[in-house]
Amino acid sequence: MNFHSTRTSEIKISFREAVQQGLAPDKGLFIPERIPKLEKSFFERLETMSELEIAFEVLSPYTEGTLDPQQLKDILKKTLSFPLPAVKVSEGIYSLELFHGPTQAFKDVGARFMANCLAAFSRKNEKVTVLVATSGDTGSAVASGFFGVDGVEVKILFPKGKVSAYQEHQMTSLGRNIQAIEVDGSFDDCQTLVKQAFLDEKLRDRLSLSSANSINIARFLPQMLYYFFSYKQLRPLLHSKKWLVSVPSGNFGNLTAGLYAKHMGLPIDRMVAANNANDPFYLYWKTGKYKPKASVPTYSNAMDVGAPSNFERIQSLYQDDWRKLKQDIAASRFSDQQTVETIKKVYHEHHYTLDPHGAVGYLALREYMDNESIGTFLETAHPNKFESVVRIALPKFKAPETDLSLCQKISMSRTYGDFRNWLLQTNITKHEA
Ligand SMILES: *Cc1c(COP(=O)(O)O)cnc(C)c1O
């Protein structure tokens, strides 16, 4: 399969090049040149197949030409090593728990898949240095996903004092090929340092740099698997009912992957885009006019995105046709107050503890459900990760303590020269390797 940019289909590149480049040269996002349809027989066999077998059949058309079948199987085996269960919350409503991975958020699957792809691409004695700026969640998923992967050195830049203790622990406690750098500045300063490094040609002559950004095709595509796994679990209950899937969304990578699954033939009736006060997608859905804006902080902070990067992938999937898009996607938005009320209500009525992101997903699903439908909402994070918000709803809720005493981090100013010198002094350059 070849990939091209959302902005032009002129330059076609392989899966490998798309993973290594991350973003297309015209700043568009990479997309596959077509979305393959799965055979009817695949869906007939689905219930008897293992998760690994399903994952292989779904992803192999995309990686063909870069990864041979055995390489893909090995990567999937390393990626899918924790359960993704669909848990019944109330009548007809299921929570697909994506938080059983090492960092308790759904980004684990994509980060691990990408790390193992990069390891498969790397030549003997060659080191790739992955730079990531993070405000919290991405850094922990990438740290854990890339931990111990041969040939890949990861540098995570996070703003000093601005990530939770839990997130800091996840980024700083691993060691080996993962280094956490605490920058004396803001998240934007971290991002600027990373961008400057990528633009620094002299540095790039000496270090082989890569990014683990969420728009990377190797993080994006494996998210399709959630929907297939969920279908495998729910199919015996579906009969002739319609299946709705609600996705708490920020950059819309996860939801767009669900749309890809639907286009491959998975019988999702409609996807529901669940948003907090960061609502440019919701307003587009309602009015047909798209206006990105600055993000506002909310309780479901992994969804605080004012300009969702995967909007371009959605638009290209529907050829900018708003009416066509509305046939496949419903949308809704909810306030922090509604989020907290829902955590409380669902706990008391159904004995299920939602995290703030899952709560928004649950609310959006409820809005579109009727007697003819069965619904799944994606529970994207463990409630422990958002203890302070969950406690507003459930004062007795308590997450396990995090111990920061064994953690290692490097302190850095926000001056690019300092960061550059450190990178060159402490890292194996291309020529030495
Ligand atoms: C990243 C994240 C989201 C948003 O996912 P997108 O693919 O960016 O829409 C939702 N919930 C949690 C917990 C996340 O970490």
Side-chain angles (χ1 to χ4, degrees):
M1 175 80 77
N2 281 319
F3 292 79
H4 60 74
S5 164
T6 42
R7 298 188 187 176
T8 142
S9 53
E10 271 160 35
I11 305 162
K12 292 195 185 348
I13 60 170
S14 67
F15 176 72
R16 178 191 176 124
E17 289 167 310
V19 175
Q20 286 172 333
Q21 289 181 28
L23 195 69
D26 62 3
K27 304 266 190 295
L29 276 65
F30 286 119
I31 48 172
E33 59 186 348
R34 64 191 171 82
I35 298 183
K37 273 250 183 286
L38 289 158
E39 303 274 333
K40 230 180 132 188
S41 66
F42 168 79
F43 293 101
E44 285 160 4
R45 284 182 288 127
L46 195 94
E47 276 165 81
T48 60
M49 291 163 78
S50 70
E51 263 70 18
L52 279 176
E53 286 165 338
I54 296 172
F56 179 80
E57 293 211 22
V58 171
L59 289 173
S60 60
Y62 298 96
T63 58
E64 209 185 299
T66 290
L67 298 171
D68 64 44
Q70 197 53 48
Q71 280 178 310
L72 177 60
K73 282 180 190 162
D74 290 342
I75 290 171
L76 288 171
K77 218 179 266 165
K78 290 178 195 152
T79 303
L80 299 168
S81 56
F82 46 85
L84 299 159
V87 173
K88 183 171 175 179
V89 173
S90 61
E91 210 40 56
I93 297 192
Y94 294 81
S95 166
L96 184 67
E97 294 186 343
L98 302 179
F99 55 66
H100 295 284
T103 75
Q104 306 191 327
F106 84 92
K107 291 181 178 71
D108 280 332
V109 169
R112 284 168 159 237
F113 186 81
M114 180 179 169
N116 288 303
C117 282
L118 284 181
F121 301 162
S122 84
R123 293 183 201 90
K124 228 181 159 46
N125 298 327
E126 197 184 73
K127 280 240 184 286
V128 179
T129 302
V130 172
L131 301 181
V132 206
T134 184
S135 54
D137 252 10
T138 296
S140 27
V142 167
S144 159
F146 283 69
F147 178 62
V149 172
D150 281 342
V152 186
E153 291 288 325
V154 180
K155 317 287 168 195
I156 299 170
L157 287 78
F158 68 93
K160 182 177 177 176
K162 296 195 179 72
V163 300
S164 74
Y166 194 99
Q167 288 166 328
E168 182 162 334
H169 178 260
Q170 288 178 327
M171 292 188 275
T172 56
S173 61
L174 293 167
R176 276 171 69 183
N177 63 327
I178 311 292
Q179 268 181 318
I181 302 154
E182 179 182 69
V183 175
D184 195 2
S186 63
F187 168 64
D188 288 335
D189 293 324
C190 297
Q191 207 157 27
T192 305
L193 289 177
V194 170
K195 280 192 187 146
Q196 278 177 300
F198 277 104
L199 292 172
D200 184 340
E201 304 221 346
K202 285 205 178 113
L203 179 77
R204 299 197 73 169
D205 273 347
R206 300 191 52 197
L207 288 177
S208 185
L209 291 187
S210 184
S211 109
N213 199 290
S214 73
I215 49 114
N216 196 294
I217 198 85
R219 285 189 57 190
F220 169 70
L221 289 173
Q223 301 177 108
M224 287 189 293
L225 301 176
Y226 306 145
Y227 304 90
F228 287 93
F229 296 167
S230 172
Y231 180 67
K232 178 186 168 181
Q233 297 175 69
L234 286 188
R235 191 166 113 145
L237 310 167
L238 267 175
H239 307 296
S240 59
K241 290 195 169 172
K242 288 178 177 165
W243 183 32
L244 296 174
V245 183
S246 169
V247 188
S249 293
N251 266 321
F252 280 75
N254 205 354
L255 182 126
T256 309
L259 294 170
Y260 272 54
K262 180 167 162 62
H263 285 243
M264 287 181 87
L266 190 69
I268 298 171
D269 190 61
R270 244 172 149 199
M271 301 286 298
V272 185
N275 279 121
N276 59 27
N278 294 280
D279 58 4
F281 181 84
Y282 172 75
L283 295 176
Y284 168 75
W285 179 84
K286 245 184 120 86
T287 64
K289 293 191 184 65
Y290 181 61
K291 280 197 220 97
K293 47 189 176 186
S295 66
V296 294
T298 72
Y299 287 162
S300 43
N301 64 18
M303 290 150 60
D304 295 349
V305 178
S309 47
N310 283 285
F311 187 69
E312 277 195 51
R313 283 193 174 122
I314 300 179
Q315 289 296 74
S316 82
L317 200 53
Y318 294 97
Q319 293 95 33
D320 299 303
D321 185 335
W322 176 65
R323 278 168 220 285
K324 236 162 70 188
L325 172 148
K326 288 191 74 154
Q327 289 169 5
D328 284 1
I329 313 176
S332 216
R333 107 191 124 173
F334 299 94
S335 67
D336 278 350
Q337 194 189 340
Q338 287 169 304
T339 304
V340 167
E341 279 164 9
T342 301
I343 294 174
K344 199 167 172 172
K345 191 165 167 250
V346 170
Y347 179 77
H348 290 299
E349 286 177 11
H350 307 295
H351 313 287
Y352 190 82
T353 311
L354 292 163
D355 99 291
H357 306 79
V360 173
Y362 176 88
L363 276 168
L365 181 60
R366 283 294 297 266
E367 185 170 331
Y368 289 97
M369 289 269 295
D370 58 30
N371 293 335
E372 306 304 307
S373 47
I374 281 201
T376 302
F377 67 95
L378 304 195
E379 197 13 310
T380 47
H382 195 290
N384 284 349
K385 283 196 93 163
F386 295 91
E387 185 188 20
S388 59
V389 178
V390 177
R391 281 173 70 99
I392 300 171
L394 309 171
K396 292 200 184 112
F397 180 79
K398 190 109 193 66
E401 300 271 337
T402 35
D403 176 10
L404 284 175
S405 63
L406 288 174
C407 294
Q408 285 181 15
K409 59 191 173 189
I410 290 150
S411 297
M412 187 74 60
S413 78
R414 56 183 176 168
T415 313
Y416 178 63
D418 292 345
F419 178 54
R420 184 181 199 275
N421 287 338
W422 175 79
L423 274 176
L424 286 172
Q425 277 160 16
T426 54
N427 291 287
I428 304 167
T429 60
K430 282 183 189 169
H431 308 292
E432 294 161 49

PDB file of all heavy atoms in Angstrom, residues 401-414:
ATOM      1  N   GLU A 401      -1.207   5.512  45.711  1.00  0.00           N
ATOM      2  CA  GLU A 401      -0.156   6.544  45.786  1.00  0.00           C
ATOM      3  C   GLU A 401       0.907   6.316  44.707  1.00  0.00           C
ATOM      4  O   GLU A 401       1.176   5.176  44.356  1.00  0.00           O
ATOM      5  CB  GLU A 401       0.562   6.455  47.141  1.00  0.00           C
ATOM      6  CG  GLU A 401      -0.313   6.656  48.340  1.00  0.00           C
ATOM      7  CD  GLU A 401      -0.410   8.121  48.725  1.00  0.00           C
ATOM      8  OE1 GLU A 401       0.512   8.881  48.357  1.00  0.00           O
ATOM      9  OE2 GLU A 401      -1.401   8.496  49.368  1.00  0.00           O
ATOM     10  N   THR A 402       1.530   7.399  44.227  1.00  0.00           N
ATOM     11  CA  THR A 402       2.670   7.213  43.333  1.00  0.00           C
ATOM     12  C   THR A 402       3.945   7.632  44.052  1.00  0.00           C
ATOM     13  O   THR A 402       3.987   8.654  44.727  1.00  0.00           O
ATOM     14  CB  THR A 402       2.530   8.041  42.041  1.00  0.00           C
ATOM     15  OG1 THR A 402       1.889   9.262  42.365  1.00  0.00           O
ATOM     16  CG2 THR A 402       1.735   7.318  40.997  1.00  0.00           C
ATOM     17  N   ASP A 403       4.957   6.806  43.903  1.00  0.00           N
ATOM     18  CA  ASP A 403       6.219   7.023  44.590  1.00  0.00           C
ATOM     19  C   ASP A 403       7.232   7.609  43.603  1.00  0.00           C
ATOM     20  O   ASP A 403       7.629   6.964  42.648  1.00  0.00           O
ATOM     21  CB  ASP A 403       6.712   5.661  45.115  1.00  0.00           C
ATOM     22  CG  ASP A 403       8.079   5.773  45.771  1.00  0.00           C
ATOM     23  OD1 ASP A 403       8.544   6.915  45.981  1.00  0.00           O
ATOM     24  OD2 ASP A 403       8.672   4.725  46.068  1.00  0.00           O
ATOM     25  N   LEU A 404       7.620   8.875  43.833  1.00  0.00           N
ATOM     26  CA  LEU A 404       8.520   9.529  42.886  1.00  0.00           C
ATOM     27  C   LEU A 404       9.991   9.376  43.286  1.00  0.00           C
ATOM     28  O   LEU A 404      10.875   9.901  42.627  1.00  0.00           O
ATOM     29  CB  LEU A 404       8.169  11.018  42.768  1.00  0.00           C
ATOM     30  CG  LEU A 404       6.919  11.341  41.932  1.00  0.00           C
ATOM     31  CD1 LEU A 404       6.603  12.828  42.000  1.00  0.00           C
ATOM     32  CD2 LEU A 404       7.071  10.914  40.493  1.00  0.00           C
ATOM     33  N   SER A 405      10.263   8.622  44.360  1.00  0.00           N
ATOM     34  CA  SER A 405      11.618   8.607  44.892  1.00  0.00           C
ATOM     35  C   SER A 405      12.644   7.930  43.982  1.00  0.00           C
ATOM     36  O   SER A 405      13.813   8.266  43.995  1.00  0.00           O
ATOM     37  CB  SER A 405      11.624   7.935  46.266  1.00  0.00           C
ATOM     38  OG  SER A 405      11.209   6.592  46.123  1.00  0.00           O
ATOM     39  N   LEU A 406      12.205   6.991  43.166  1.00  0.00           N
ATOM     40  CA  LEU A 406      13.171   6.282  42.320  1.00  0.00           C
ATOM     41  C   LEU A 406      13.309   6.884  40.920  1.00  0.00           C
ATOM     42  O   LEU A 406      13.941   6.320  40.049  1.00  0.00           O
ATOM     43  CB  LEU A 406      12.753   4.817  42.182  1.00  0.00           C
ATOM     44  CG  LEU A 406      12.947   3.971  43.434  1.00  0.00           C
ATOM     45  CD1 LEU A 406      12.363   2.589  43.238  1.00  0.00           C
ATOM     46  CD2 LEU A 406      14.435   3.876  43.786  1.00  0.00           C
ATOM     47  N   CYS A 407      12.676   8.030  40.736  1.00  0.00           N
ATOM     48  CA  CYS A 407      12.594   8.555  39.383  1.00  0.00           C
ATOM     49  C   CYS A 407      13.825   9.356  38.991  1.00  0.00           C
ATOM     50  O   CYS A 407      14.466   9.984  39.821  1.00  0.00           O
ATOM     51  CB  CYS A 407      11.354   9.421  39.272  1.00  0.00           C
ATOM     52  SG  CYS A 407       9.906   8.398  39.444  1.00  0.00           S
ATOM     53  N   GLN A 408      14.137   9.294  37.692  1.00  0.00           N
ATOM     54  CA  GLN A 408      15.285  10.027  37.194  1.00  0.00           C
ATOM     55  C   GLN A 408      14.858  10.966  36.092  1.00  0.00           C
ATOM     56  O   GLN A 408      14.142  10.566  35.182  1.00  0.00           O
ATOM     57  CB  GLN A 408      16.306   9.050  36.605  1.00  0.00           C
ATOM     58  CG  GLN A 408      17.048   8.305  37.668  1.00  0.00           C
ATOM     59  CD  GLN A 408      18.053   7.367  37.047  1.00  0.00           C
ATOM     60  OE1 GLN A 408      18.382   7.482  35.867  1.00  0.00           O
ATOM     61  NE2 GLN A 408      18.529   6.432  37.839  1.00  0.00           N
ATOM     62  N   LYS A 409      15.359  12.209  36.202  1.00  0.00           N
ATOM     63  CA  LYS A 409      15.070  13.142  35.124  1.00  0.00           C
ATOM     64  C   LYS A 409      16.246  14.095  34.991  1.00  0.00           C
ATOM     65  O   LYS A 409      17.081  14.221  35.903  1.00  0.00           O
ATOM     66  CB  LYS A 409      13.776  13.894  35.396  1.00  0.00           C
ATOM     67  CG  LYS A 409      13.784  14.678  36.686  1.00  0.00           C
ATOM     68  CD  LYS A 409      12.410  15.189  37.033  1.00  0.00           C
ATOM     69  CE  LYS A 409      12.447  15.811  38.417  1.00  0.00           C
ATOM     70  NZ  LYS A 409      11.139  16.143  38.948  1.00  0.00           N
ATOM     71  N   ILE A 410      16.303  14.754  33.844  1.00  0.00           N
ATOM     72  CA  ILE A 410      17.359  15.714  33.593  1.00  0.00           C
ATOM     73  C   ILE A 410      16.713  17.088  33.568  1.00  0.00           C
ATOM     74  O   ILE A 410      15.637  17.248  32.979  1.00  0.00           O
ATOM     75  CB  ILE A 410      18.023  15.398  32.239  1.00  0.00           C
ATOM     76  CG1 ILE A 410      18.807  14.104  32.379  1.00  0.00           C
ATOM     77  CG2 ILE A 410      18.909  16.522  31.750  1.00  0.00           C
ATOM     78  CD1 ILE A 410      18.896  13.323  31.136  1.00  0.00           C
ATOM     79  N   SER A 411      17.346  18.052  34.231  1.00  0.00           N
ATOM     80  CA  SER A 411      16.780  19.402  34.210  1.00  0.00           C
ATOM     81  C   SER A 411      17.409  20.198  33.083  1.00  0.00           C
ATOM     82  O   SER A 411      18.612  20.097  32.838  1.00  0.00           O
ATOM     83  CB  SER A 411      17.023  20.114  35.528  1.00  0.00           C
ATOM     84  OG  SER A 411      16.356  19.399  36.547  1.00  0.00           O
ATOM     85  N   MET A 412      16.605  20.969  32.414  1.00  0.00           N
ATOM     86  CA  MET A 412      17.065  21.689  31.225  1.00  0.00           C
ATOM     87  C   MET A 412      16.452  23.078  31.216  1.00  0.00           C
ATOM     88  O   MET A 412      15.293  23.238  31.622  1.00  0.00           O
ATOM     89  CB  MET A 412      16.566  20.882  30.007  1.00  0.00           C
ATOM     90  CG  MET A 412      17.036  21.331  28.667  1.00  0.00           C
ATOM     91  SD  MET A 412      18.759  20.931  28.338  1.00  0.00           S
ATOM     92  CE  MET A 412      18.764  19.163  28.470  1.00  0.00           C
ATOM     93  N   SER A 413      17.232  24.074  30.748  1.00  0.00           N
ATOM     94  CA  SER A 413      16.630  25.395  30.559  1.00  0.00           C
ATOM     95  C   SER A 413      15.816  25.344  29.266  1.00  0.00           C
ATOM     96  O   SER A 413      15.832  24.349  28.567  1.00  0.00           O
ATOM     97  CB  SER A 413      17.732  26.449  30.426  1.00  0.00           C
ATOM     98  OG  SER A 413      18.271  26.389  29.114  1.00  0.00           O
ATOM     99  N   ARG A 414      15.146  26.445  28.967  1.00  0.00           N
ATOM    100  CA  ARG A 414      14.379  26.397  27.705  1.00  0.00           C
ATOM    101  C   ARG A 414      15.166  26.994  26.536  1.00  0.00           C
ATOM    102  O   ARG A 414      14.598  27.339  25.507  1.00  0.00           O
ATOM    103  CB  ARG A 414      13.027  27.065  27.889  1.00  0.00           C
ATOM    104  CG  ARG A 414      13.159  28.456  28.387  1.00  0.00           C
ATOM    105  CD  ARG A 414      11.824  29.064  28.639  1.00  0.00           C
ATOM    106  NE  ARG A 414      12.078  30.373  29.219  1.00  0.00           N
ATOM    107  CZ  ARG A 414      11.194  31.305  29.370  1.00  0.00           C
ATOM    108  NH1 ARG A 414       9.958  31.095  29.002  1.00  0.00           N
ATOM    109  NH2 ARG A 414      11.504  32.458  29.897  1.00  0.00           N
TER     110      ARG A 414
END
